[in-house]
Amino acid sequence: QVQLVESGGGLVQPGGSLRLSCAASGSIFSINAMGWYRQAPGKERELVAVITSGGSTNYADSVKGRFTISRDNAKNTVYLQMNSLKPEDTAVYYCNARLWRPGRGEYDYWGQGTQVTVSS
Protein backbone atom coordinates (compact mmCIF):
# COMPACT_ATOMS: atom_id res chain seq x y z
CA GLN A 1 0.00 0.00 0.00
CA VAL A 2 1.00 3.60 -0.62
CA GLN A 3 0.02 6.59 1.48
CA LEU A 4 0.04 10.23 0.41
CA VAL A 5 -0.18 12.64 3.32
CA GLU A 6 -0.99 16.24 2.47
CA SER A 7 -0.63 19.30 4.65
CA GLY A 8 -0.63 23.08 4.41
CA GLY A 9 -4.12 24.03 3.33
CA GLY A 10 -6.20 26.67 5.06
CA LEU A 11 -7.82 30.08 4.84
CA VAL A 12 -5.87 32.99 3.38
CA GLN A 13 -6.71 36.49 2.22
CA PRO A 14 -6.45 37.45 -1.45
CA GLY A 15 -2.85 38.21 -2.32
CA GLY A 16 -1.57 35.90 0.40
CA SER A 17 0.53 32.76 0.22
CA LEU A 18 0.28 29.12 1.24
CA ARG A 19 2.61 26.16 0.89
CA LEU A 20 1.23 22.68 0.39
CA SER A 21 3.24 19.53 1.09
CA CYS A 22 2.62 15.92 0.15
CA ALA A 23 4.72 13.03 1.40
CA ALA A 24 4.50 9.58 -0.20
CA SER A 25 5.33 6.47 1.80
CA GLY A 26 4.77 2.75 1.75
CA SER A 27 5.40 0.17 -0.93
CA ILE A 28 7.04 2.38 -3.55
CA PHE A 29 9.36 1.06 -6.25
CA SER A 30 9.71 4.32 -8.13
CA ILE A 31 7.85 7.58 -8.60
CA ASN A 32 7.76 8.94 -12.13
CA ALA A 33 5.95 12.17 -11.32
CA MET A 34 4.12 13.97 -8.54
CA GLY A 35 1.63 16.74 -8.91
CA TRP A 36 -1.27 18.75 -7.60
CA TYR A 37 -4.81 18.86 -8.89
CA ARG A 38 -7.73 20.88 -7.60
CA GLN A 39 -11.49 20.68 -7.66
CA ALA A 40 -13.78 23.60 -6.94
CA PRO A 41 -17.47 23.11 -6.11
CA GLY A 42 -19.44 22.24 -9.20
CA LYS A 43 -16.33 21.91 -11.35
CA GLU A 44 -14.23 19.05 -12.62
CA ARG A 45 -10.84 18.21 -11.13
CA GLU A 46 -8.09 20.02 -13.01
CA LEU A 47 -4.32 19.88 -13.16
CA VAL A 48 -2.53 22.62 -11.23
CA ALA A 49 1.11 21.59 -11.57
CA VAL A 50 3.20 18.47 -12.05
CA ILE A 51 6.90 17.67 -11.68
CA THR A 52 8.72 14.61 -13.00
CA SER A 53 11.49 12.71 -11.28
CA GLY A 54 13.89 14.51 -13.59
CA GLY A 55 12.63 17.91 -12.53
CA SER A 56 10.54 18.87 -15.55
CA THR A 57 7.49 20.90 -14.62
CA ASN A 58 4.15 21.77 -16.15
CA TYR A 59 1.64 24.33 -14.89
CA ALA A 60 -1.93 25.28 -15.61
CA ASP A 61 -2.04 28.63 -17.41
CA SER A 62 -4.11 30.08 -14.57
CA VAL A 63 -1.30 29.59 -12.02
CA LYS A 64 1.81 30.29 -14.09
CA GLY A 65 3.99 32.93 -12.45
CA ARG A 66 2.18 32.56 -9.11
CA PHE A 67 2.63 28.90 -8.12
CA THR A 68 5.87 26.93 -7.93
CA ILE A 69 6.08 23.15 -7.66
CA SER A 70 9.19 21.48 -6.26
CA ARG A 71 10.19 18.04 -5.16
CA ASP A 72 12.53 16.31 -2.73
CA ASN A 73 13.18 12.92 -4.31
CA ALA A 74 15.02 11.63 -1.24
CA LYS A 75 11.94 12.27 0.89
CA ASN A 76 9.35 11.37 -1.79
CA THR A 77 7.78 14.74 -1.07
CA VAL A 78 6.31 17.35 -3.36
CA TYR A 79 5.62 20.97 -2.48
CA LEU A 80 3.39 23.63 -3.99
CA GLN A 81 4.25 27.22 -3.13
CA MET A 82 1.22 29.36 -3.90
CA ASN A 83 1.68 33.13 -4.02
CA SER A 84 -0.63 35.98 -5.00
CA LEU A 85 -3.63 33.81 -4.26
CA LYS A 86 -6.98 34.74 -5.76
CA PRO A 87 -10.53 33.82 -4.71
CA GLU A 88 -10.76 31.65 -7.83
CA ASP A 89 -7.95 29.48 -6.43
CA THR A 90 -10.38 28.27 -3.76
CA ALA A 91 -10.73 24.50 -4.10
CA VAL A 92 -9.82 21.17 -2.60
CA TYR A 93 -6.25 20.42 -3.65
CA TYR A 94 -5.30 16.79 -4.25
CA CYS A 95 -1.81 15.35 -4.39
CA ASN A 96 -1.11 12.78 -7.11
CA ALA A 97 1.77 10.35 -7.43
CA ARG A 98 2.39 8.49 -10.67
CA LEU A 99 4.20 5.35 -9.60
CA TRP A 100 5.90 2.58 -11.52
CA ARG A 101 6.52 -1.03 -10.60
CA PRO A 102 7.93 -3.93 -12.65
CA GLY A 103 5.14 -6.07 -14.02
CA ARG A 104 2.53 -3.42 -13.34
CA GLY A 105 3.76 -0.37 -15.18
CA GLU A 106 2.47 3.08 -14.27
CA TYR A 107 -0.38 3.62 -11.84
CA ASP A 108 -1.74 6.55 -9.82
CA TYR A 109 -2.27 7.20 -6.13
CA TRP A 110 -4.20 10.16 -4.72
CA GLY A 111 -4.11 12.02 -1.45
CA GLN A 112 -7.22 12.72 0.59
CA GLY A 113 -7.32 16.38 -0.39
CA THR A 114 -6.72 19.60 1.51
CA GLN A 115 -8.99 22.63 1.43
CA VAL A 116 -7.62 25.97 0.26
CA THR A 117 -9.93 28.94 0.74
CA VAL A 118 -9.01 32.42 -0.48
CA SER A 119 -11.34 35.00 0.99
CA SER A 120 -11.31 38.32 2.76
Side-chain angles (χ1 to χ4, degrees):
Q1 283 291 347
V2 174
Q3 296 81 38
L4 299 181
V5 179
E6 301 155 339
S7 61
L11 172 64
V12 64
Q13 292 186 344
S17 298
L18 283 175
R19 188 187 192 219
L20 305 183
S21 300
C22 173
S25 63
S27 181
I28 297 171
F29 186 88
S30 69
I31 302 177
N32 285 352
M34 296 186 76
W36 292 93
Y37 291 70
R38 67 187 181 187
Q39 187 166 19
K43 295 187 177 181
E44 293 187 352
R45 189 174 298 188
E46 62 176 0
L47 172 71
V48 176
V50 63
I51 184 168
T52 69
S53 58
S56 298
T57 59
N58 188 38
Y59 294 92
D61 288 343
S62 59
V63 307
K64 284 180 180 177
R66 301 188 297 121
F67 291 10
T68 302
I69 190 169
S70 60
R71 179 173 170 176
D72 186 334
N73 288 336
K75 296 181 179 180
N76 288 338
T77 299
V78 64
Y79 306 95
L80 185 68
Q81 178 66 43
M82 304 185 292
N83 299 329
S84 302
L85 282 160
K86 304 175 181 180
E88 51 263 44
D89 294 317
T90 296
V92 177
Y93 284 68
Y94 296 92
C95 176
N96 170 269
R98 177 146 293 179
L99 310 177
W100 184 89
R101 176 175 292 278
R104 182 172 181 177
E106 278 193 336
Y107 58 105
D108 286 332
Y109 260 90
W110 293 90
Q112 78 282 359
T114 185
Q115 177 71 45
V116 171
T117 301
V118 185
S119 175
S120 54

